[in-house]
Amino acid sequence: MRLEELELIQVGIGDGDALIVIDLQNDFMPSGALPVEGGDAIIGPINALAEKFHRLGNPIIATQDWHPPGHLSFASSHGREPFDRYEAEGIGPVLWPDHCVQGSPGAEFHPGFDAKLVKVVIRKGFRPTVDSYSAFLENDRRTPTGLSGYLRELGVKRVFLCGLALDYCVFFSALDGRSLGFDVVIPVDLTRAIDSPPGRLSEALGSMVERGVKFTSSGRIAGPP
Ligand code: VGL
Ligand code: ZN
């Protein structure tokens, strides 16, 4: 499935909606360690959407990939090359360049991201041997980040997911969000994909559609007057 084939819905922000901004960090920007093409182009439009949520009093949550040095998802930890295929419990399907190392400039939010509107930052991927793509569950598929409990306590029923990368962290967050009982909407123009290994993005889009994830665009989201 291709991005152009997605059905995009019209949607209004209402009670029970939260915005989750995934991994808008320097290392995922075009000049970063794990560059996502066009990753910087979505920052301004994400700020604009966050402003709408903020004005309506709806919560905004951000995630931050936050790895210790020598994390097992790094190719360098295995003497391998970035993007080599590698599958192990909690790691894979490919190995990554060293990225988002705790406290490093690459792990910081892009300076253009308006992080002052964010209520809670969920840091993930800090256990040395387990990766964490999803905002909800680590890659062992068992350990919660605490986000679903937080959202439930706020009365959140539907999450809008944007940020990086569409075929990894946004993808797993979307599927886990569905499994945990949330409606999930992705404004596709506010995301970008890694698409490695090849075909990854189209597979991810197919799985998300199958699981009832809805897609929209920033222009189709009605905000406050
Ligand atoms: C991500 C690969 C490795 C992401 C994080 O944010 O999508 N991808 N770590
Ligand atoms: Zn990572």
Side-chain angles (χ1 to χ4, degrees):
M1 171 150 227
R2 292 177 306 117
L3 279 171
E4 300 73 38
E5 294 171 326
L6 293 171
E7 182 194 336
L8 303 182
I9 62 167
Q10 297 281 343
V11 61
I13 304 164
D15 282 352
D17 286 339
L19 178 65
I20 303 180
V21 182
I22 307 280
D23 296 1
L24 275 195
Q25 294 163 265
N26 291 324
D27 272 342
F28 296 119
M29 297 298 146
S31 58
L34 203 178
V36 184
E37 204 182 315
D40 51 349
I42 65 176
I43 291 170
I46 287 177
N47 286 339
L49 182 60
E51 185 61 39
K52 289 184 185 177
F53 273 74
H54 179 70
R55 281 172 54 198
L56 288 164
N58 289 59
I60 302 160
I61 294 95
T63 63
Q64 198 172 18
D65 214 32
W66 197 250
H67 301 306
H71 192 261
L72 219 57
S73 73
F74 297 169
S76 61
S77 304
H78 305 263
R80 303 271 296 269
E81 292 301 314
F83 305 102
D84 277 2
R85 283 178 185 262
Y86 185 90
E87 296 268 7
E89 162 98 5
I91 303 290
V94 295
L95 293 169
W96 305 112
D98 290 24
H99 66 279
C100 297
V101 173
Q102 294 166 1
S104 69
E108 294 305 311
F109 289 126
H110 184 287
F113 171 47
D114 199 358
K116 73 173 186 300
L117 302 182
V118 172
K119 281 184 98 169
V120 153
V121 177
I122 300 278
R123 287 178 168 163
K124 59 187 181 59
F126 50 83
R127 284 202 290 161
T129 60
V130 182
D131 211 348
S132 188
Y133 296 142
S134 162
F136 293 100
L137 282 182
E138 297 187 24
N139 288 14
D140 62 9
R141 314 311 301 144
R142 285 189 297 274
T143 311
T145 63
L147 179 59
S148 74
Y150 175 77
L151 293 176
R152 258 185 248 292
E153 199 161 359
L154 294 183
V156 171
K157 302 275 187 301
R158 181 168 68 172
V159 295
F160 286 64
L161 294 179
C162 62
L164 303 170
L166 178 54
D167 48 347
Y168 281 94
C169 291
V170 175
F171 168 61
F172 280 99
S173 301
L175 293 194
D176 286 348
R178 295 293 297 137
S179 302
L180 290 160
F182 296 97
D183 289 326
V184 176
V185 183
I186 300 179
V188 270
D189 59 319
L190 305 186
T191 66
R192 291 293 186 275
I194 294 173
D195 206 19
S196 173
R200 169 84 189 177
L201 174 61
S202 85
E203 228 175 88
L205 293 177
S207 310
M208 288 191 281
V209 168
E210 204 171 282
R211 295 284 298 280
V213 175
K214 303 287 183 226
F215 294 87
T216 187
S217 66
S218 46
R220 289 174 172 84
I221 302 172

